[in-house]
Amino acid sequence: MDLRIALALGAAVPALLAVPGVAQDAKSDEDALAEKVITNTNPASFKPYGLTPPPKLVNDKAVQGGKALRIPLTGAGEPWSIGVNVPLLKPVQAGDKLVVAFYARLNKGDAPTAKVNGQIQLSAAPYTALFGKPFDVTPEWKLLQFSGKADKDYAVGSIGAAFHLNTGKQVIDMGPVAVLDMGQ
């Protein structure tokens, strides 16, 4: 099973279980579910910002896909001053349900957990969030997810998944990220 399908199943099946009659069909058709992934899930394709030099891609067999972006953080400044953007590769229609699933872990830190804020937001100023959720990230890899609906039509490149990471002196590893467009 490839990475897109694994992430799609991990993210979409819980969301689909809430829709009567849909979950059975989705489980039986992995390819159709993988088609709902509208991002490049590979951490090498992510757009980190706020760090010089940029974060390094590392090998880690403990995470789906075996690769992660290792992001050292100072905790100085605002939480959004250092983060990762993951562009959407397809347009989104008003009312579409978007499910964001991502792997993250605290690699090193002064505290036992780290705060990560995930959201779907505008890709240009004023970078307004459409929806999102804060998470506590631990030293164990976890598949985390949040979802919401698009408030209007968005062209390719106008919105994306964003992760604000600068919440403490710590090192966060970001594994694969998938945004699924579950439609209306």
Side-chain angles (χ1 to χ4, degrees), residues 4-164:
R4 278 182 39 170
I5 293 171
L7 277 169
L9 288 172
V13 170
L16 288 173
L17 290 176
V19 181
V22 176
Q24 190 73 10
D25 294 336
K27 286 181 187 176
S28 65
D29 193 356
E30 291 178 356
D31 290 335
L33 192 54
E35 289 298 315
K36 295 182 182 304
V37 177
I38 59 173
T39 54
N40 183 341
T41 61
N42 185 342
S45 71
F46 301 168
K47 308 292 184 213
Y49 63 89
L51 287 174
T52 304
K56 295 182 180 183
L57 190 65
V58 296
N59 293 322
D60 188 335
K61 292 182 182 185
V63 69
Q64 183 77 36
K67 302 263 184 220
L69 198 57
R70 181 154 294 155
I71 305 150
L73 303 156
T74 64
E78 301 294 341
W80 58 84
S81 63
I82 301 173
V84 173
N85 290 324
V86 180
L88 303 188
L89 304 175
K90 295 182 181 179
V92 173
Q93 303 294 316
D96 282 359
K97 180 177 182 178
L98 302 178
V99 177
V100 181
F102 66 101
Y103 283 95
R105 76 173 183 142
L106 174 64
N107 183 281
K108 280 190 241 181
D110 293 336
T113 63
K115 294 282 185 200
V116 170
N117 298 306
Q119 59 192 42
I120 293 290
Q121 72 177 32
L122 298 178
S123 297
Y127 303 103
T128 305
L130 279 64
F131 58 87
K133 183 177 175 182
F135 295 90
D136 288 323
V137 177
T138 69
E140 299 296 321
W141 280 110
K142 288 187 182 175
L143 177 61
L144 304 165
Q145 71 177 37
F146 62 98
S147 62
K149 289 192 177 190
D151 60 339
K152 63 180 188 176
D153 292 351
Y154 289 97
V156 172
S158 60
I159 61 172
F163 300 91
H164 301 160

